[in-house]
Amino acid sequence: MDYFVYKNGKLHVEDLSIDKIAHSVKTPFYCYSSSAMKKNYNELANSLSGLNTSIFYAIKANSNLAIIKLFSDLGAGADVVSEGEIRRALEVGIPNDKIIFSGVGKTKKEIAFALNKEILQINIESEAELHLINQIASDLNKKAKVAFRINPDIEVNTHEKITTGKKENKFGIPWPEAKEVFVKASKM
């Protein structure tokens, strides 16, 4: 089903005329189809049925509370990159144990906030970040739940500005060092 269609020369979202929306709210505005989002989510969830998987909505994609809530109601957790996004996820009712903190540049304050909220995990981007998280967790008398982002140093045929898997991209722990960093983490 198409959720954005022209009827009698007027654009509609689902069965609602965009003109009617424009007359009732200030313009410009963003217009989303919750039916389209639900359909796509359910198709993904159904394609993964029978597997031990979880779906996490990346709040950085769109931090609109209604959209975060829609995905939460469908069963998604949240993939966040800041304290503000953790707060948004919690505000709409995503349980703390369904929140993953990803991304580079996490601050000490954000890491402490995530640890105090006892989120599912913090994704480690580097050995230095592992040591920082360990220090903050120790200071708070907490044990950090972590996962590792590994850089596989694989060439992907994409635009050079969006590639993330090559060694020179500096995202994640270089795969030759991964086991050593994991062993260090297991002793923390």
Side-chain angles (χ1 to χ4, degrees):
M1 173 180 197
D2 290 328
Y3 297 99
F4 289 88
V5 296
Y6 282 92
K7 296 179 184 177
N8 300 320
K10 295 196 184 269
L11 182 60
H12 285 67
V13 58
E14 300 177 19
D15 289 323
L16 188 57
S17 164
I18 297 293
D19 285 352
K20 285 188 179 182
I21 298 171
H23 284 94
S24 64
V25 300
K26 291 181 180 180
T27 60
F29 62 91
Y30 292 97
C31 183
Y32 305 99
S33 167
S34 61
S35 295
M37 288 184 271
K38 288 175 187 176
K39 175 187 169 285
N40 290 334
Y41 178 91
N42 288 326
E43 283 180 3
L44 175 61
N46 289 336
S47 74
L48 299 172
S49 70
L51 301 174
N52 183 15
T53 61
S54 298
I55 298 173
F56 293 84
Y57 173 67
I59 292 181
K60 68 182 176 182
N62 188 323
S63 62
N64 179 300
L65 290 173
I67 291 174
I68 300 168
K69 176 89 169 104
L70 180 143
F71 286 115
S72 172
D73 289 347
L74 291 169
D79 182 359
V80 302
V81 295
S82 69
E83 178 181 333
E85 289 185 0
I86 295 171
R87 290 180 183 278
R88 292 180 89 72
L90 294 170
E91 183 177 340
V92 301
I94 295 178
N96 57 336
D97 65 352
K98 288 185 79 173
I99 299 173
I100 294 173
F101 192 7
S102 301
V104 297
K106 299 174 196 82
T107 68
K108 291 178 182 178
K109 180 178 175 273
E110 289 174 320
I111 293 166
F113 183 81
L115 290 167
N116 283 322
K117 291 297 180 183
E118 299 181 356
I119 66 169
L120 177 62
Q121 73 189 39
I122 301 174
N123 290 343
I124 304 292
E125 295 283 338
S126 67
E127 185 175 351
E129 185 177 65
L130 171 65
H131 290 288
L132 175 64
I133 292 168
N134 183 59
Q135 182 59 56
I136 296 167
S138 294
D139 292 346
L140 295 171
N141 198 29
K142 300 218 177 252
K143 188 168 187 171
K145 295 175 271 184
V146 299
F148 297 86
R149 181 177 184 179
I150 307 300
N151 183 313
D153 192 24
I154 294 174
E155 181 70 45
V156 178
N157 188 19
T158 189
H159 191 278
E160 66 185 46
K161 298 290 185 187
I162 62 170
T163 183
T164 60
K166 293 289 294 167
K167 180 171 58 176
E168 60 267 16
N169 298 132
K170 300 180 184 175
F171 290 110
I173 298 166
W175 72 267
E177 300 168 24
K179 184 175 180 181
E180 178 185 331
V181 174
F182 182 81
V183 169
K184 288 178 183 178
S186 70
K187 296 175 182 174
M188 294 180 173

